[in-house]
Amino acid sequence: MRLRLGFLSVLALSLAAPQALAWGKTGHRVTGAIAESHLSGDARAAITGLLGTEDLAEASTWPDFMRSADATFWRWQASPWHYVTVPEGDTYADAGAPDQGDAITALAQFRETLRDRDASAEDRRLALRFAVHIIGDLHQPLHAGNGTDRGGNDFTVSFFGAPTNLHGLWDTGLIDHEQLSYTELTMWLTRRLTPADVASWWVTDPEIWIAESTAIRDTIYPDADGDRELRWNYVFTHRDTVRRRLAMGGVRIAAWLNETFAEAR
């Protein structure tokens, strides 16, 4: 891995970074499980060679788990790789990546690592697990933050009477509200996927994923001066969006991996 920065500079920059985990365990596992059913033979063989019996659903949550590791790499260097910042009205190309990097710069590096036959198996496993996670992250609208509230972490709301914030609500609250396991939710979403859906979503350009997320992001904030007690109406309004972004994330994980491993031959 060549993404390296001094500890102090990363520490200073990451103090303003979102500290949420994106989609939560259930959401990430759904995206990984959906991806499994769309892998090419080349991608499946390469993934099995790296992960053995570990599937993409299991791999998808590993980068969040490792954030608790007592190591500078996981605590500070890797922290900015879970999100991007795009101010309202801008594109990612307008905003660009900060000095410490972000999800886009990390994803590009991970693709290089996965294609590098001289890279160690350890580095390639890290790259694979993190890439699966990042692609899921970029389909959660608040992981393309607007730069004003740490991706909705500072926007407090109440969900059926329980205090939370908008980021946490989209990471886990709306998904857990359905009381489905990740396998149940995967099954529900997969059986509704049509070949036309898969074909239209088969996009490997992360800037397109981000543009979709920022467009959604700007519609999901409750009125800042109004009622932030969110209940059934908010669930009704946004459930289909959550499900669609999970399904799209899964399809795009497969598309990105298929492309990466096809070009690595």
Side-chain angles (χ1 to χ4, degrees), residues 84-87 89-98 102 104 144 205-211 214:
V84 296
T85 299
V86 181
D90 284 352
T91 65
Y92 179 79
D94 296 327
D102 61 11
I104 294 295
D205 182 352
E207 292 195 31
I208 293 176
W209 314 336
I210 291 168
T214 57

Side-chain angles (χ1 to χ4, degrees), residues 19 28-29 63 67 80 99 103 114 167 191 198 211 241 244 246:
Q19 296 300 310
H28 270 299
R29 288 170 181 156
R67 292 175 81 168
D99 291 341
L114 288 169
H167 194 120
R191 69 190 181 195
V198 174
T241 299
R244 181 180 177 88
L246 289 170

Side-chain angles (χ1 to χ4, degrees), residues 8-9 26 28 34 37 55 60 69 80 99 103-104 115 118 122 129 132 145 174 186 212 222 245 254-255:
L8 292 179
S9 63
T26 299
H28 270 299
I34 290 174
S37 61
D55 63 15
S60 69
D99 291 341
I104 294 295
R115 290 175 175 168
D118 294 327
E122 180 182 5
R129 289 166 172 153
V132 170
L174 290 171
T186 298
E212 295 167 348
R245 292 306 281 172

Side-chain angles (χ1 to χ4, degrees), residues 167-222:
H167 194 120
L169 180 60
W170 277 76
D171 272 0
T172 59
L174 290 171
I175 295 173
D176 290 349
H177 180 73
E178 301 222 52
Q179 297 186 14
L180 296 170
S181 68
Y182 91 85
T183 54
E184 289 172 320
L185 185 51
T186 298
M187 180 181 65
W188 286 20
L189 297 181
T190 299
R191 69 190 181 195
R192 289 172 172 79
L193 271 180
T194 67
D197 289 332
V198 174
S200 65
W201 296 348
W202 202 262
V203 177
T204 58
D205 182 352
E207 292 195 31
I208 293 176
W209 314 336
I210 291 168
E212 295 167 348
S213 282
T214 57
I216 296 167
R217 176 201 71 196
D218 295 338
T219 70
I220 64 178
Y221 278 81

Side-chain angles (χ1 to χ4, degrees), residues 23 28 31 107 130-140 209 245 248-254 256-257:
W23 283 141
H28 270 299
T31 63
L107 196 60
F130 224 128
V132 170
H133 185 86
I134 286 174
I135 297 169
D137 279 347
L138 291 178
H139 286 78
Q140 203 273 54
W209 314 336
R245 292 306 281 172
M248 293 175 86
V251 168
R252 276 130 175 211
I253 289 169
W256 190 91
L257 291 173

